[in-house]
Amino acid sequence: MSLTNEMISDVLNLSQDDIEHLSSCRINNTLVINVRLKKKTCSCPNCGSFSIRIKEYKLRKIHHSLLSLDPCILNYQARRYICSDGGITFYEDNPFSNQGVNISNLTILNVLKELKEPNATFLNISPIIRP
Ligand SMILES: [Zn+2]
């Protein structure tokens, strides 16, 4: 059984509305998650201008600690903006850098652990999802 995007976004503390692209795969024993966030309205941190455009995407590889059962690499395509007024570049807000562990993350961890059992189905792990 593979992880659903819902489970992954829960672990990452993202809502479905935040996500432009989310996919995952296993390479050997490592869970690789590819994520790109939706564009949000933001302004230049230097001059406050809203006259900004996307300059590029920079791949950031984040070794994620919440999925500590398996090695996990988060390939985060960080969106980089350029301000049309001042010419400075800046990154979108990065929700992955300072996230705390919360109950729902730990719950998901338990689900992931259950899913490692060969006969696990969503039916018999559902009491864990809804304590
Ligand atoms: Zn600016």
Side-chain angles (χ1 to χ4, degrees), residues 43-52 82-90:
S43 60
C44 172
N46 187 48
C47 67
S49 169
F50 284 94
S51 173
I52 57 176
I82 183 166
C83 172
S84 304
D85 292 336
I88 72 155
T89 58
F90 59 97

Side-chain angles (χ1 to χ4, degrees), residues 27-39:
I27 297 175
N28 298 324
N29 202 32
T30 302
L31 178 64
V32 179
I33 299 172
N34 302 297
V35 64
R36 182 189 279 194
L37 302 178
K38 271 190 186 156
K39 186 172 177 288

Side-chain angles (χ1 to χ4, degrees), residues 58-72:
K58 286 271 193 185
L59 182 66
R60 288 183 166 182
K61 282 187 187 239
I62 300 169
H63 289 265
H64 207 274
S65 57
L66 286 175
L67 288 168
S68 55
L69 296 172
D70 283 326
C72 175

